[in-house]
Amino acid sequence: TDEFTVTVTPVNDPPFPPEGLDDVEIDEDPDPRRIDLADLDEIFYDPDGDRLTYEVTSALRELNMDIDDRWNILFFAPDENFHISEGTDIIITADDSELTCDLHFSVVIDSVNDLPTDFELLTPAYGAYATSSPTVLFAWEESTDEADHSTITYALVLSFNDEEHWFRDIEETRIFVAREDLSVDVNDTTDIEWWVYAYDGIDSLRCETPFWLLVAPLSVNGVNETALPTELTLGPVYPNPFNASTTIKYGLPQATDVLLAVYDIYGRRAATLIDRSQQAGFYSAILGSENLVSGMYIIRIVTKDGILTRKVILVR
């Protein structure tokens, strides 16, 4: 009888991914920003029971692809406003210290349009009282769309008498609306609610809080403003005393540089309402009570035609 020995030499087997990993497609700016893709210990398998280590390779830094070493969780947290609609290849390498295996999958991040940024209305101030000026200035903060590099246009909406009146395709953050375009009754006081939309060519965003104002009859205070003023005028100021805001009327007999400012009783400037050139005509400016304390203030207008002042009282 012959006897012999058989020796089976162990050979290391490489790890392999029996489960695989599906391609990933998401929208840009996901919420939450971190996306957990897989538990790598559940995807990869080593026939020899060796402990595996992992490495992820991505050509795009903006994906912020990484592995949570505590639990071997593969995740990524793409940069804000980053998208790659054509997809990109991701490689996961499993290593048992002797042999490795790779797993490939693709990540697609679809572009999503960003809304214009929030903005607020400026003037007429909330609850303002517009008297018989031939035009009313509506102004608001700028809204931007830096992420998509879009051009922003605006739409002004005036709501009164159960109707909405739209002024569209405004390129600046202000618009003068003529009294006749307001379509209000010239003999009655009209309560107007107004707001603004910012439009980036795809989506629009409405300002958070609409404002309202009272539009008085054209004949208020007996001022005929269909003709040009013959001299520099300041006033009337209504209401006075005021709480939320007051309207300051002034007239310019000719085109000139205008400085209309408000000073406290110590001579310190509290607000600048107008500081620019204006054509001849009647105008109004709104003085809001924001950043002002109760008390008396001096309204001062300075032009090449002279200097005039008026007193106004703020009552909280």
Side-chain angles (χ1 to χ4, degrees), residues 207-225:
C207 64
E208 292 186 359
T209 305
F211 280 9
W212 63 272
L213 72 153
L214 294 175
V215 178
L218 286 175
S219 59
V220 68
N221 297 316
V223 178
N224 177 9
E225 294 184 342

Side-chain angles (χ1 to χ4, degrees), residues 160-177:
F160 55 93
N161 299 333
D162 297 324
E163 294 182 357
E164 291 184 355
H165 301 261
W166 288 69
F167 299 83
R168 305 176 190 271
D169 299 325
I170 305 170
E171 297 181 354
E172 299 183 352
T173 58
R174 53 192 292 157
I175 182 175
F176 286 92
V177 179

Side-chain angles (χ1 to χ4, degrees), residues 10-235:
V11 177
N12 183 56
D13 293 300
F16 62 93
E19 297 296 330
L21 188 60
D22 294 334
D23 292 338
V24 177
E25 182 174 359
I26 64 170
D27 291 337
E28 73 175 60
D29 298 336
D31 184 20
R33 182 60 54 85
R34 168 172 163 162
I35 305 294
D36 289 343
L37 295 177
D39 182 339
L40 298 181
D41 289 334
E42 294 182 358
I43 292 180
F44 288 92
Y45 171 73
D46 189 86
D48 306 304
D50 295 332
R51 182 179 181 274
L52 299 177
T53 58
Y54 307 98
E55 181 179 343
V56 59
T57 303
S58 170
L60 297 176
R61 177 196 59 79
E62 293 85 353
L63 287 176
N64 299 311
M65 188 80 68
D66 204 351
I67 297 172
D68 187 334
D69 294 331
R70 295 172 300 173
W71 312 105
N72 288 330
I73 300 297
L74 175 68
F75 70 92
F76 73 120
D79 286 352
E80 185 177 4
N81 298 317
F82 175 75
H83 56 86
I84 177 167
S85 300
E86 65 273 18
T88 184
D89 189 46
I90 307 297
I91 304 173
I92 307 171
T93 301
D95 190 339
D96 67 0
S97 77
E98 293 184 21
L99 297 173
T100 63
C101 78
D102 292 336
L103 171 63
H104 294 249
F105 69 99
S106 178
V107 170
V108 173
I109 302 180
D110 295 321
S111 176
V112 175
N113 183 61
D114 291 270
L115 287 174
T117 56
D118 291 332
F119 63 102
E120 295 183 357
L121 306 180
L122 297 177
T123 188
Y126 188 86
Y129 192 91
T131 55
S132 51
S133 300
T135 60
V136 178
L137 170 63
F138 295 89
W140 51 90
E141 294 178 341
E142 182 181 15
S143 177
T144 61
D145 191 8
E146 297 178 358
D148 299 315
H149 307 289
S150 301
T151 299
I152 302 296
T153 59
Y154 304 93
L156 168 67
V157 185
L158 308 178
S159 177
F160 55 93
N161 299 333
D162 297 324
E163 294 182 357
E164 291 184 355
H165 301 261
W166 288 69
F167 299 83
R168 305 176 190 271
D169 299 325
I170 305 170
E171 297 181 354
E172 299 183 352
T173 58
R174 53 192 292 157
I175 182 175
F176 286 92
V177 179
R179 287 290 296 255
E180 55 266 26
D181 293 335
L182 292 176
S183 302
V184 299
D185 191 332
V186 297
N187 297 312
D188 295 327
T189 298
T190 305
D191 188 349
I192 295 180
E193 186 178 28
W194 68 281
W195 60 89
V196 173
Y197 287 94
Y199 180 60
D200 65 3
I202 299 177
D203 296 310
S204 62
L205 178 73
R206 174 175 160 167
C207 64
E208 292 186 359
T209 305
F211 280 9
W212 63 272
L213 72 153
L214 294 175
V215 178
L218 286 175
S219 59
V220 68
N221 297 316
V223 178
N224 177 9
E225 294 184 342
T226 59
L228 294 177
T230 58
E231 61 182 359
L232 176 65
T233 62
L234 178 61

